[in-house]
């Protein structure tokens, strides 16, 4: 082993965590290919949305999808590398789904894009202060161990559902049951068939303990998708073509190299303009919504992916928690400054962990690939959901296996754990699941006369979640 390799191993504690450099590289690749969709999907949400002045991000006259894609990849790349070097964990970061939708339709709907991204920046600064004061770390350590396990299991179900829905294997319906399999209850399209084949193949590879199973599954399924599209001409999914490909049509790109300077977006945010646009109360409510979602989405992801990587100790503590949370907080501020929405730790990081990643080197690899994606976005756009999402379903299974650690005979913990697990996928929100678990945990302890066993911070956090769940009625009551 060369001196340079030894230094890398020592810095990231690769051998100490039972990993190897090659395994970390594979894990970084798997995570990137599983979440590279955000480079395409975030611009679809952000760049095509108009603010209250009917303007778009960038020059304002028309959707600037390519520029926002470059910005999305740039901020994700920088923050993921920072997570690897400072946090030294295999957690990747990018623009948060759900958060970007809230910014587009709820915040930009009442102010300019510059002002909306300014609020995202402020939220990141506030949450960073909470880390530096120790509050965010203390909350993380105050969560009962079995609730942390439930968060991991809930995220497993959540990302499996994301995989099924994004691939079109599970769909919403206008009448009858809320969800159905495939199209009208049948698997009648070529893209869904590709997803099923990819899922079965990936599951078989994982079951046989094949090295690189998840990455092989993504790449192999993408190749299959390209072949199928060349023969079947399924085209993109739409209302008139429900059997088409989701997100991307897997065809050979017309060009490989394309560049748009993402740094131009860093002049587009206004941290304090919103205060002259809308009431201070509305600003406070919008920032609080961003903060509570970002705060607990990340916490849930850390617990789930950290446990899957074997990094969470028996005491439920994740090493370098403060550093991880600080980088995540800076990601929110960077996303606002870069006009691509708050960046947060991604549950898709579990794909790399499932591939064997255990250290920050995997994040450095993922982040580097995001930076490369700035120049090679057309290649990223080859991968359809149907090829990437089988990895999410398989990783969902791996994360669910920890459910055996929950004592379901103890109702004081079992009921909050159950609510945590089911509310996440059923409401499509990690924060909602965490909130349901916390509030029910405190309530059950109180009604059983065990209020003294509740950690003081659990009282605080549960009260915050009660306010979070009541924001709709509060805003309606106050007329804001």
């Amino acid at each position: 082993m060369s001196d340079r390799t030894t230094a890398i191993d020592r810095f990231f504690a690769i051998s100490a965590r039972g990993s190897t450099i090659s395994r970390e590289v594979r894990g970084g690749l798997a995570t990137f290919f599983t979440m590279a969709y955000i480079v395409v999907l975030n611009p679809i949400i952000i760049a095509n949305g108009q603010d209250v002045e009917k303007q778009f991000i960038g020059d304002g006259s028309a959707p600037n999808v390519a520029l926002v894609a470059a910005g999305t990849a740039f901020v994700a790349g920088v923050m993921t590398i920072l997570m690897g070097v400072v946090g030294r964990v295999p957690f990747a970061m990018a623009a948060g789904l759900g958060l970007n939708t809230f910014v587009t339709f709820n915040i930009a709907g009442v102010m300019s894009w510059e002002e909306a991204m300014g609020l995202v920046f402020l939220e990141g600064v506030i949450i960073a202060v909470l880390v530096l004061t120790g509050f965010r770390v203390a909350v993380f350590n105050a969560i009962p161990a079995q609730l942390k396990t439930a968060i991991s299991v809930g995220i497993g179900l959540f990302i499996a559902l994301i995989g099924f829905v994004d691939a079109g294997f599970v769909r919403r319906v206008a009448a009858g049951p809320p969800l159905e399999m495939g199209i009208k209850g049948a698997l009648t399209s070529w893209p869904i068939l590709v997803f099923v084949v990819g899922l079965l193949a990936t599951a078989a590879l994982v079951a046989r303990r094949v090295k690189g199973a998840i990455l092989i599954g993504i790449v192999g399924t993408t190749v299959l998708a390209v072949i199928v599209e060349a023969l079947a001409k399924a085209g993109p999914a739409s209302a008139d073509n429900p059997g088409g490909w989701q997100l991307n049509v897997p065809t050979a790109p017309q060009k490989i190299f394309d560049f748009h300077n993402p740094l131009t977006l860093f002049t587009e945010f206004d941290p304090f303009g919103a205060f002259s646009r809308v009431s201070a109360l509305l600003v406070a409510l919008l920032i609080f919504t961003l903060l509570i979602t970002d705060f607990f989405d990340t916490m849930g992801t850390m617990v789930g992916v950290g446990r899957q990587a074997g990094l969470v100790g028996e005491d439920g503590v994740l090493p370098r928690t403060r550093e991880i949370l600080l980088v995540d907080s800076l990601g929110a501020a960077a996303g606002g400054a870069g006009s691509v929405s708050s960046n947060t730790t991604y549950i898709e990081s579990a794909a790399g962990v499932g591939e064997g990643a255990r250290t920050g080197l995997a994040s450095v690899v993922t982040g580097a690939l995001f930076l490369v994606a700035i120049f090679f976005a057309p290649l990223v756009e080859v991968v359809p959901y149907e090829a990437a999402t089988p990895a999410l379903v398989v990783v969902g299974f791996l994360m669910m296996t920890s459910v055996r650690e929950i004592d379901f005979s103890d109702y004081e913990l079992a009921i909050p754990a159950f609510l945590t697990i089911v509310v996440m996928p059923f409401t499509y929100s990690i924060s909602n699941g965490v909130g349901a678990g916390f509030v029910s945990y405190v309530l059950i302890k109180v009604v059983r006369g065990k209020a003294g066993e509740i950690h003081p911070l659990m009282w605080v956090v549960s009260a915050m979640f009660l306010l979070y769940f009541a924001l709709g009625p509060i805003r309606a009551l106050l007329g804001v």
Side-chain angles (χ1 to χ4, degrees), residues 32-48:
F32 172 76
F33 281 110
T34 305
M35 61 183 289
Y37 68 84
I38 195 62
V39 177
V40 179
L41 186 56
N42 192 51
I44 291 174
I45 297 171
I46 296 289
N48 287 296

Side-chain angles (χ1 to χ4, degrees), residues 58-269:
D59 59 18
S61 60
N64 203 334
V65 175
L67 180 59
V68 176
T72 300
F74 176 76
V75 176
V78 171
M79 295 314 305
T80 299
I81 291 173
L82 193 62
M83 179 66 81
V85 174
V86 177
R88 301 183 193 177
V89 285
F91 298 168
M93 296 181 65
L97 287 174
L99 285 169
N100 54 8
T101 303
F102 179 74
V103 171
T104 302
F105 297 105
N106 293 83
I107 300 182
V110 296
M111 62 188 69
S112 70
W113 269 116
E114 292 84 358
E115 293 158 354
M117 289 303 175
L119 289 192
V120 175
F121 173 81
L122 288 179
E123 178 262 332
V125 172
I126 292 170
I127 207 167
V129 171
L130 292 178
V131 174
L132 293 174
T133 58
F135 178 77
R136 199 179 184 192
V137 178
V139 170
F140 180 84
N141 293 333
I143 304 171
Q146 292 203 50
L147 273 186
K148 289 181 179 179
T149 300
I151 291 171
S152 175
V153 175
I155 290 177
L157 282 178
F158 182 35
I159 64 174
L161 180 60
I162 289 174
F164 283 126
V165 171
D166 286 350
F169 184 86
V170 172
R171 302 183 184 223
R172 302 179 183 91
V173 293
L179 299 174
E180 67 178 8
M181 182 180 69
I183 303 172
K184 296 182 179 180
L187 305 179
T188 56
S189 75
W190 285 105
I192 295 178
L193 177 62
V194 168
F195 165 76
V196 172
V197 172
L199 174 59
L200 294 176
T202 304
L205 291 170
V206 170
R208 289 183 60 87
R209 314 282 183 176
V210 174
K211 292 183 178 180
I214 293 176
L215 180 59
I216 292 171
I218 295 171
V219 175
T221 308
T222 300
V223 172
L224 174 62
V226 171
I227 295 172
V228 168
E229 172 59 19
L231 298 174
K233 306 294 183 184
S238 66
D240 298 327
N241 182 32
W245 299 97
Q246 305 288 333
L247 187 64
N248 297 317
V249 177
T251 57
Q254 297 299 313
K255 56 182 178 178
I256 296 177
F257 178 84
D258 194 14
F259 176 74
H260 297 268
N261 186 2
L263 297 181
T264 60
L265 287 172
F266 281 81
T267 62
E268 297 289 325
F269 78 107

